[in-house]
Amino acid sequence: MIGQKNNYILQKLGRPTGFSLIELLVVIFIISLISSSVLVSYFNGNNQYSLTQATQILTANIRQAQNKALSGQQQGVSPYGFGVKIVSATQYIIFLNPISDPSNDYDGAISVTIETINLPTGTTISPINQRIFYVPPDPTTYLNNSAGVGPITLTVTAGPLTKNVVAY
């Protein structure tokens, strides 16, 4: 019986154990494939989050300017109107005009900047120099200094993804 046990142990020790080089390379390849797909999904998720965040904030800020024009008051003053101006590809402002301005536009000399908004990193807006202006009490909407024209479409981009915000 003891001889049979020793013989069995010797048989087990004599066999090659472990993994071959091919098996290790296959496992490494599979792990790298899974890791790369996770990284791609992560970056796409980041772009999607930034895009959604920037679009929601822009929409809320346009609505904020419209609501301020509906209320007609800002810190006890009855302004002529409120607006949003796309200053650059990464920045826009919410402003009010305290007096009647025939251009219904942001004028650095008379307009008051309520808030300057910077888009999240990697997010851009186009086209630039677009203006949405609301005159109380209705409010009348002026798009690029004209009332009653068609809508303005603002495109927000994050990486390869885009979303549109349409203002009427």
Side-chain angles (χ1 to χ4, degrees), residues 1-31:
M1 185 80 158
I2 293 178
Q4 287 179 348
K5 256 188 179 178
N6 285 340
N7 192 19
Y8 176 76
I9 292 173
L10 286 175
Q11 285 178 352
K12 284 291 187 185
L13 289 178
R15 290 185 184 165
T17 59
F19 299 106
S20 70
L21 182 61
I22 300 292
E23 291 170 330
L24 289 174
L25 288 174
V26 168
V27 168
I28 290 171
F29 175 75
I30 292 171
I31 289 172

PDB file of all heavy atoms in Angstrom, residues 1-31:
ATOM      1  N   MET A   1       0.814  -1.180   0.000  1.00  0.00           N
ATOM      2  CA  MET A   1       0.000   0.000   0.000  1.00  0.00           C
ATOM      3  C   MET A   1       0.865   1.253   0.000  1.00  0.00           C
ATOM      4  O   MET A   1       0.583   2.192  -0.709  1.00  0.00           O
ATOM      5  CB  MET A   1      -0.901  -0.068   1.224  1.00  0.00           C
ATOM      6  CG  MET A   1      -1.873   1.034   1.261  1.00  0.00           C
ATOM      7  SD  MET A   1      -3.218   0.632   0.175  1.00  0.00           S
ATOM      8  CE  MET A   1      -4.447   1.595   0.790  1.00  0.00           C
ATOM      9  N   ILE A   2       1.917   1.210   0.797  1.00  0.00           N
ATOM     10  CA  ILE A   2       2.804   2.364   0.834  1.00  0.00           C
ATOM     11  C   ILE A   2       3.526   2.492  -0.500  1.00  0.00           C
ATOM     12  O   ILE A   2       3.735   3.585  -0.996  1.00  0.00           O
ATOM     13  CB  ILE A   2       3.805   2.242   2.002  1.00  0.00           C
ATOM     14  CG1 ILE A   2       3.031   2.340   3.318  1.00  0.00           C
ATOM     15  CG2 ILE A   2       4.855   3.331   1.943  1.00  0.00           C
ATOM     16  CD1 ILE A   2       3.867   2.193   4.528  1.00  0.00           C
ATOM     17  N   GLY A   3       3.863   1.456  -1.077  1.00  0.00           N
ATOM     18  CA  GLY A   3       4.524   1.498  -2.367  1.00  0.00           C
ATOM     19  C   GLY A   3       3.629   2.070  -3.455  1.00  0.00           C
ATOM     20  O   GLY A   3       4.085   2.781  -4.351  1.00  0.00           O
ATOM     21  N   GLN A   4       2.359   1.770  -3.387  1.00  0.00           N
ATOM     22  CA  GLN A   4       1.427   2.313  -4.378  1.00  0.00           C
ATOM     23  C   GLN A   4       1.272   3.819  -4.221  1.00  0.00           C
ATOM     24  O   GLN A   4       1.171   4.542  -5.188  1.00  0.00           O
ATOM     25  CB  GLN A   4       0.061   1.627  -4.228  1.00  0.00           C
ATOM     26  CG  GLN A   4       0.054   0.210  -4.737  1.00  0.00           C
ATOM     27  CD  GLN A   4      -1.311  -0.426  -4.542  1.00  0.00           C
ATOM     28  OE1 GLN A   4      -2.159   0.100  -3.844  1.00  0.00           O
ATOM     29  NE2 GLN A   4      -1.499  -1.581  -5.184  1.00  0.00           N
ATOM     30  N   LYS A   5       1.275   4.304  -2.943  1.00  0.00           N
ATOM     31  CA  LYS A   5       1.159   5.741  -2.708  1.00  0.00           C
ATOM     32  C   LYS A   5       2.366   6.467  -3.266  1.00  0.00           C
ATOM     33  O   LYS A   5       2.246   7.504  -3.908  1.00  0.00           O
ATOM     34  CB  LYS A   5       1.042   6.026  -1.208  1.00  0.00           C
ATOM     35  CG  LYS A   5      -0.325   6.375  -0.770  1.00  0.00           C
ATOM     36  CD  LYS A   5      -0.278   6.817   0.668  1.00  0.00           C
ATOM     37  CE  LYS A   5      -1.659   7.189   1.108  1.00  0.00           C
ATOM     38  NZ  LYS A   5      -1.734   7.583   2.475  1.00  0.00           N
ATOM     39  N   ASN A   6       3.531   5.985  -3.023  1.00  0.00           N
ATOM     40  CA  ASN A   6       4.754   6.621  -3.525  1.00  0.00           C
ATOM     41  C   ASN A   6       4.776   6.603  -5.048  1.00  0.00           C
ATOM     42  O   ASN A   6       5.228   7.562  -5.671  1.00  0.00           O
ATOM     43  CB  ASN A   6       5.995   5.916  -2.964  1.00  0.00           C
ATOM     44  CG  ASN A   6       6.242   6.259  -1.498  1.00  0.00           C
ATOM     45  OD1 ASN A   6       5.729   7.267  -1.012  1.00  0.00           O
ATOM     46  ND2 ASN A   6       6.994   5.413  -0.823  1.00  0.00           N
ATOM     47  N   ASN A   7       4.315   5.525  -5.633  1.00  0.00           N
ATOM     48  CA  ASN A   7       4.268   5.425  -7.082  1.00  0.00           C
ATOM     49  C   ASN A   7       3.312   6.483  -7.663  1.00  0.00           C
ATOM     50  O   ASN A   7       3.612   7.121  -8.669  1.00  0.00           O
ATOM     51  CB  ASN A   7       3.835   4.007  -7.480  1.00  0.00           C
ATOM     52  CG  ASN A   7       4.034   3.754  -8.954  1.00  0.00           C
ATOM     53  OD1 ASN A   7       4.788   4.471  -9.616  1.00  0.00           O
ATOM     54  ND2 ASN A   7       3.355   2.739  -9.470  1.00  0.00           N
ATOM     55  N   TYR A   8       2.163   6.682  -7.008  1.00  0.00           N
ATOM     56  CA  TYR A   8       1.174   7.681  -7.457  1.00  0.00           C
ATOM     57  C   TYR A   8       1.754   9.100  -7.370  1.00  0.00           C
ATOM     58  O   TYR A   8       1.592   9.907  -8.269  1.00  0.00           O
ATOM     59  CB  TYR A   8      -0.098   7.561  -6.609  1.00  0.00           C
ATOM     60  CG  TYR A   8      -1.142   8.611  -6.936  1.00  0.00           C
ATOM     61  CD1 TYR A   8      -1.900   8.495  -8.088  1.00  0.00           C
ATOM     62  CD2 TYR A   8      -1.344   9.701  -6.115  1.00  0.00           C
ATOM     63  CE1 TYR A   8      -2.861   9.436  -8.407  1.00  0.00           C
ATOM     64  CE2 TYR A   8      -2.287  10.664  -6.419  1.00  0.00           C
ATOM     65  CZ  TYR A   8      -3.050  10.525  -7.571  1.00  0.00           C
ATOM     66  OH  TYR A   8      -3.986  11.472  -7.883  1.00  0.00           O
ATOM     67  N   ILE A   9       2.454   9.386  -6.277  1.00  0.00           N
ATOM     68  CA  ILE A   9       3.078  10.709  -6.095  1.00  0.00           C
ATOM     69  C   ILE A   9       4.137  10.935  -7.163  1.00  0.00           C
ATOM     70  O   ILE A   9       4.227  12.019  -7.744  1.00  0.00           O
ATOM     71  CB  ILE A   9       3.670  10.840  -4.675  1.00  0.00           C
ATOM     72  CG1 ILE A   9       2.536  10.875  -3.640  1.00  0.00           C
ATOM     73  CG2 ILE A   9       4.539  12.088  -4.546  1.00  0.00           C
ATOM     74  CD1 ILE A   9       2.999  10.836  -2.206  1.00  0.00           C
ATOM     75  N   LEU A  10       4.925   9.953  -7.448  1.00  0.00           N
ATOM     76  CA  LEU A  10       5.950  10.090  -8.470  1.00  0.00           C
ATOM     77  C   LEU A  10       5.332  10.322  -9.850  1.00  0.00           C
ATOM     78  O   LEU A  10       5.844  11.089 -10.650  1.00  0.00           O
ATOM     79  CB  LEU A  10       6.850   8.852  -8.498  1.00  0.00           C
ATOM     80  CG  LEU A  10       7.839   8.722  -7.336  1.00  0.00           C
ATOM     81  CD1 LEU A  10       8.582   7.393  -7.417  1.00  0.00           C
ATOM     82  CD2 LEU A  10       8.823   9.872  -7.363  1.00  0.00           C
ATOM     83  N   GLN A  11       4.217   9.671 -10.123  1.00  0.00           N
ATOM     84  CA  GLN A  11       3.538   9.883 -11.401  1.00  0.00           C
ATOM     85  C   GLN A  11       3.037  11.317 -11.511  1.00  0.00           C
ATOM     86  O   GLN A  11       3.132  11.941 -12.552  1.00  0.00           O
ATOM     87  CB  GLN A  11       2.366   8.906 -11.551  1.00  0.00           C
ATOM     88  CG  GLN A  11       2.770   7.495 -11.871  1.00  0.00           C
ATOM     89  CD  GLN A  11       1.562   6.569 -11.955  1.00  0.00           C
ATOM     90  OE1 GLN A  11       0.450   6.968 -11.629  1.00  0.00           O
ATOM     91  NE2 GLN A  11       1.808   5.328 -12.379  1.00  0.00           N
ATOM     92  N   LYS A  12       2.478  11.870 -10.435  1.00  0.00           N
ATOM     93  CA  LYS A  12       1.955  13.241 -10.456  1.00  0.00           C
ATOM     94  C   LYS A  12       3.092  14.247 -10.607  1.00  0.00           C
ATOM     95  O   LYS A  12       2.971  15.240 -11.313  1.00  0.00           O
ATOM     96  CB  LYS A  12       1.171  13.562  -9.173  1.00  0.00           C
ATOM     97  CG  LYS A  12      -0.185  12.940  -9.133  1.00  0.00           C
ATOM     98  CD  LYS A  12      -1.051  13.600 -10.169  1.00  0.00           C
ATOM     99  CE  LYS A  12      -2.473  13.134 -10.076  1.00  0.00           C
ATOM    100  NZ  LYS A  12      -3.308  13.650 -11.106  1.00  0.00           N
ATOM    101  N   LEU A  13       4.196  14.035  -9.919  1.00  0.00           N
ATOM    102  CA  LEU A  13       5.325  14.964  -9.996  1.00  0.00           C
ATOM    103  C   LEU A  13       6.001  14.915 -11.357  1.00  0.00           C
ATOM    104  O   LEU A  13       6.577  15.893 -11.797  1.00  0.00           O
ATOM    105  CB  LEU A  13       6.340  14.651  -8.901  1.00  0.00           C
ATOM    106  CG  LEU A  13       5.899  14.984  -7.475  1.00  0.00           C
ATOM    107  CD1 LEU A  13       6.979  14.567  -6.491  1.00  0.00           C
ATOM    108  CD2 LEU A  13       5.615  16.465  -7.351  1.00  0.00           C
ATOM    109  N   GLY A  14       5.914  13.830 -12.031  1.00  0.00           N
ATOM    110  CA  GLY A  14       6.562  13.695 -13.311  1.00  0.00           C
ATOM    111  C   GLY A  14       5.841  14.409 -14.448  1.00  0.00           C
ATOM    112  O   GLY A  14       6.425  14.699 -15.484  1.00  0.00           O
ATOM    113  N   ARG A  15       4.561  14.752 -14.253  1.00  0.00           N
ATOM    114  CA  ARG A  15       3.797  15.426 -15.296  1.00  0.00           C
ATOM    115  C   ARG A  15       4.120  16.917 -15.287  1.00  0.00           C
ATOM    116  O   ARG A  15       4.292  17.529 -14.236  1.00  0.00           O
ATOM    117  CB  ARG A  15       2.306  15.252 -15.071  1.00  0.00           C
ATOM    118  CG  ARG A  15       1.843  13.849 -15.305  1.00  0.00           C
ATOM    119  CD  ARG A  15       0.349  13.782 -15.184  1.00  0.00           C
ATOM    120  NE  ARG A  15      -0.106  12.410 -15.322  1.00  0.00           N
ATOM    121  CZ  ARG A  15      -1.292  12.013 -14.990  1.00  0.00           C
ATOM    122  NH1 ARG A  15      -2.160  12.858 -14.480  1.00  0.00           N
ATOM    123  NH2 ARG A  15      -1.637  10.763 -15.150  1.00  0.00           N
ATOM    124  N   PRO A  16       4.136  17.542 -16.456  1.00  0.00           N
ATOM    125  CA  PRO A  16       4.351  18.996 -16.491  1.00  0.00           C
ATOM    126  C   PRO A  16       3.111  19.713 -15.946  1.00  0.00           C
ATOM    127  O   PRO A  16       1.992  19.339 -16.252  1.00  0.00           O
ATOM    128  CB  PRO A  16       4.569  19.314 -17.962  1.00  0.00           C
ATOM    129  CG  PRO A  16       4.026  18.145 -18.709  1.00  0.00           C
ATOM    130  CD  PRO A  16       4.059  16.970 -17.779  1.00  0.00           C
ATOM    131  N   THR A  17       3.328  20.730 -15.119  1.00  0.00           N
ATOM    132  CA  THR A  17       2.227  21.497 -14.542  1.00  0.00           C
ATOM    133  C   THR A  17       2.359  22.951 -14.954  1.00  0.00           C
ATOM    134  O   THR A  17       3.399  23.382 -15.436  1.00  0.00           O
ATOM    135  CB  THR A  17       2.228  21.409 -13.006  1.00  0.00           C
ATOM    136  OG1 THR A  17       3.471  21.922 -12.529  1.00  0.00           O
ATOM    137  CG2 THR A  17       2.022  19.992 -12.532  1.00  0.00           C
ATOM    138  N   GLY A  18       1.292  23.750 -14.720  1.00  0.00           N
ATOM    139  CA  GLY A  18       1.311  25.174 -15.065  1.00  0.00           C
ATOM    140  C   GLY A  18       0.643  25.407 -16.412  1.00  0.00           C
ATOM    141  O   GLY A  18       0.002  24.540 -16.989  1.00  0.00           O
ATOM    142  N   PHE A  19       0.832  26.643 -16.906  1.00  0.00           N
ATOM    143  CA  PHE A  19       0.199  27.055 -18.156  1.00  0.00           C
ATOM    144  C   PHE A  19       1.260  27.202 -19.238  1.00  0.00           C
ATOM    145  O   PHE A  19       2.384  27.627 -18.967  1.00  0.00           O
ATOM    146  CB  PHE A  19      -0.512  28.397 -17.973  1.00  0.00           C
ATOM    147  CG  PHE A  19      -1.593  28.353 -16.936  1.00  0.00           C
ATOM    148  CD1 PHE A  19      -1.404  28.938 -15.694  1.00  0.00           C
ATOM    149  CD2 PHE A  19      -2.799  27.724 -17.207  1.00  0.00           C
ATOM    150  CE1 PHE A  19      -2.401  28.899 -14.748  1.00  0.00           C
ATOM    151  CE2 PHE A  19      -3.800  27.689 -16.255  1.00  0.00           C
ATOM    152  CZ  PHE A  19      -3.599  28.261 -15.019  1.00  0.00           C
ATOM    153  N   SER A  20       0.860  26.911 -20.443  1.00  0.00           N
ATOM    154  CA  SER A  20       1.790  27.093 -21.554  1.00  0.00           C
ATOM    155  C   SER A  20       1.820  28.561 -21.962  1.00  0.00           C
ATOM    156  O   SER A  20       0.961  29.365 -21.577  1.00  0.00           O
ATOM    157  CB  SER A  20       1.359  26.226 -22.745  1.00  0.00           C
ATOM    158  OG  SER A  20       0.170  26.752 -23.300  1.00  0.00           O
ATOM    159  N   LEU A  21       2.791  28.950 -22.721  1.00  0.00           N
ATOM    160  CA  LEU A  21       2.934  30.325 -23.193  1.00  0.00           C
ATOM    161  C   LEU A  21       1.728  30.746 -24.038  1.00  0.00           C
ATOM    162  O   LEU A  21       1.228  31.874 -23.913  1.00  0.00           O
ATOM    163  CB  LEU A  21       4.234  30.471 -23.993  1.00  0.00           C
ATOM    164  CG  LEU A  21       4.553  31.855 -24.515  1.00  0.00           C
ATOM    165  CD1 LEU A  21       4.700  32.826 -23.354  1.00  0.00           C
ATOM    166  CD2 LEU A  21       5.801  31.829 -25.357  1.00  0.00           C
ATOM    167  N   ILE A  22       1.231  29.863 -24.851  1.00  0.00           N
ATOM    168  CA  ILE A  22       0.069  30.156 -25.699  1.00  0.00           C
ATOM    169  C   ILE A  22      -1.150  30.450 -24.826  1.00  0.00           C
ATOM    170  O   ILE A  22      -1.890  31.407 -25.080  1.00  0.00           O
ATOM    171  CB  ILE A  22      -0.240  28.967 -26.647  1.00  0.00           C
ATOM    172  CG1 ILE A  22       0.932  28.670 -27.562  1.00  0.00           C
ATOM    173  CG2 ILE A  22      -1.514  29.211 -27.442  1.00  0.00           C
ATOM    174  CD1 ILE A  22       1.210  29.737 -28.581  1.00  0.00           C
ATOM    175  N   GLU A  23      -1.372  29.664 -23.796  1.00  0.00           N
ATOM    176  CA  GLU A  23      -2.517  29.894 -22.914  1.00  0.00           C
ATOM    177  C   GLU A  23      -2.413  31.253 -22.223  1.00  0.00           C
ATOM    178  O   GLU A  23      -3.401  31.986 -22.128  1.00  0.00           O
ATOM    179  CB  GLU A  23      -2.608  28.783 -21.857  1.00  0.00           C
ATOM    180  CG  GLU A  23      -2.989  27.430 -22.436  1.00  0.00           C
ATOM    181  CD  GLU A  23      -2.838  26.296 -21.427  1.00  0.00           C
ATOM    182  OE1 GLU A  23      -1.970  26.378 -20.539  1.00  0.00           O
ATOM    183  OE2 GLU A  23      -3.613  25.330 -21.559  1.00  0.00           O
ATOM    184  N   LEU A  24      -1.227  31.599 -21.772  1.00  0.00           N
ATOM    185  CA  LEU A  24      -1.031  32.910 -21.131  1.00  0.00           C
ATOM    186  C   LEU A  24      -1.280  34.050 -22.112  1.00  0.00           C
ATOM    187  O   LEU A  24      -1.909  35.054 -21.766  1.00  0.00           O
ATOM    188  CB  LEU A  24       0.372  33.013 -20.540  1.00  0.00           C
ATOM    189  CG  LEU A  24       0.639  32.163 -19.294  1.00  0.00           C
ATOM    190  CD1 LEU A  24       2.099  32.254 -18.894  1.00  0.00           C
ATOM    191  CD2 LEU A  24      -0.253  32.608 -18.161  1.00  0.00           C
ATOM    192  N   LEU A  25      -0.802  33.924 -23.344  1.00  0.00           N
ATOM    193  CA  LEU A  25      -1.017  34.978 -24.343  1.00  0.00           C
ATOM    194  C   LEU A  25      -2.505  35.144 -24.670  1.00  0.00           C
ATOM    195  O   LEU A  25      -2.989  36.268 -24.838  1.00  0.00           O
ATOM    196  CB  LEU A  25      -0.220  34.675 -25.608  1.00  0.00           C
ATOM    197  CG  LEU A  25       1.301  34.851 -25.488  1.00  0.00           C
ATOM    198  CD1 LEU A  25       1.987  34.389 -26.766  1.00  0.00           C
ATOM    199  CD2 LEU A  25       1.645  36.287 -25.184  1.00  0.00           C
ATOM    200  N   VAL A  26      -3.237  34.063 -24.754  1.00  0.00           N
ATOM    201  CA  VAL A  26      -4.672  34.131 -25.031  1.00  0.00           C
ATOM    202  C   VAL A  26      -5.392  34.847 -23.897  1.00  0.00           C
ATOM    203  O   VAL A  26      -6.234  35.725 -24.124  1.00  0.00           O
ATOM    204  CB  VAL A  26      -5.255  32.714 -25.268  1.00  0.00           C
ATOM    205  CG1 VAL A  26      -6.780  32.727 -25.254  1.00  0.00           C
ATOM    206  CG2 VAL A  26      -4.745  32.146 -26.576  1.00  0.00           C
ATOM    207  N   VAL A  27      -5.055  34.540 -22.663  1.00  0.00           N
ATOM    208  CA  VAL A  27      -5.684  35.191 -21.510  1.00  0.00           C
ATOM    209  C   VAL A  27      -5.354  36.678 -21.487  1.00  0.00           C
ATOM    210  O   VAL A  27      -6.232  37.525 -21.252  1.00  0.00           O
ATOM    211  CB  VAL A  27      -5.262  34.494 -20.193  1.00  0.00           C
ATOM    212  CG1 VAL A  27      -5.668  35.313 -18.976  1.00  0.00           C
ATOM    213  CG2 VAL A  27      -5.847  33.094 -20.128  1.00  0.00           C
ATOM    214  N   ILE A  28      -4.110  37.028 -21.745  1.00  0.00           N
ATOM    215  CA  ILE A  28      -3.706  38.450 -21.774  1.00  0.00           C
ATOM    216  C   ILE A  28      -4.452  39.190 -22.885  1.00  0.00           C
ATOM    217  O   ILE A  28      -4.909  40.318 -22.698  1.00  0.00           O
ATOM    218  CB  ILE A  28      -2.177  38.581 -21.927  1.00  0.00           C
ATOM    219  CG1 ILE A  28      -1.489  38.127 -20.644  1.00  0.00           C
ATOM    220  CG2 ILE A  28      -1.775  40.011 -22.270  1.00  0.00           C
ATOM    221  CD1 ILE A  28       0.012  38.018 -20.746  1.00  0.00           C
ATOM    222  N   PHE A  29      -4.592  38.562 -24.035  1.00  0.00           N
ATOM    223  CA  PHE A  29      -5.328  39.178 -25.143  1.00  0.00           C
ATOM    224  C   PHE A  29      -6.788  39.412 -24.767  1.00  0.00           C
ATOM    225  O   PHE A  29      -7.343  40.480 -25.029  1.00  0.00           O
ATOM    226  CB  PHE A  29      -5.224  38.297 -26.399  1.00  0.00           C
ATOM    227  CG  PHE A  29      -6.046  38.794 -27.535  1.00  0.00           C
ATOM    228  CD1 PHE A  29      -5.631  39.899 -28.267  1.00  0.00           C
ATOM    229  CD2 PHE A  29      -7.245  38.181 -27.871  1.00  0.00           C
ATOM    230  CE1 PHE A  29      -6.400  40.377 -29.325  1.00  0.00           C
ATOM    231  CE2 PHE A  29      -8.010  38.648 -28.919  1.00  0.00           C
ATOM    232  CZ  PHE A  29      -7.588  39.753 -29.646  1.00  0.00           C
ATOM    233  N   ILE A  30      -7.425  38.455 -24.151  1.00  0.00           N
ATOM    234  CA  ILE A  30      -8.829  38.599 -23.749  1.00  0.00           C
ATOM    235  C   ILE A  30      -8.979  39.715 -22.715  1.00  0.00           C
ATOM    236  O   ILE A  30      -9.895  40.541 -22.805  1.00  0.00           O
ATOM    237  CB  ILE A  30      -9.375  37.250 -23.222  1.00  0.00           C
ATOM    238  CG1 ILE A  30      -9.478  36.243 -24.364  1.00  0.00           C
ATOM    239  CG2 ILE A  30     -10.722  37.436 -22.527  1.00  0.00           C
ATOM    240  CD1 ILE A  30      -9.804  34.829 -23.926  1.00  0.00           C
ATOM    241  N   ILE A  31      -8.089  39.781 -21.748  1.00  0.00           N
ATOM    242  CA  ILE A  31      -8.149  40.833 -20.727  1.00  0.00           C
ATOM    243  C   ILE A  31      -7.951  42.206 -21.359  1.00  0.00           C
ATOM    244  O   ILE A  31      -8.656  43.164 -21.022  1.00  0.00           O
ATOM    245  CB  ILE A  31      -7.109  40.564 -19.614  1.00  0.00           C
ATOM    246  CG1 ILE A  31      -7.545  39.355 -18.780  1.00  0.00           C
ATOM    247  CG2 ILE A  31      -6.932  41.787 -18.715  1.00  0.00           C
ATOM    248  CD1 ILE A  31      -6.522  38.884 -17.776  1.00  0.00           C
TER     249      ILE A  31
END
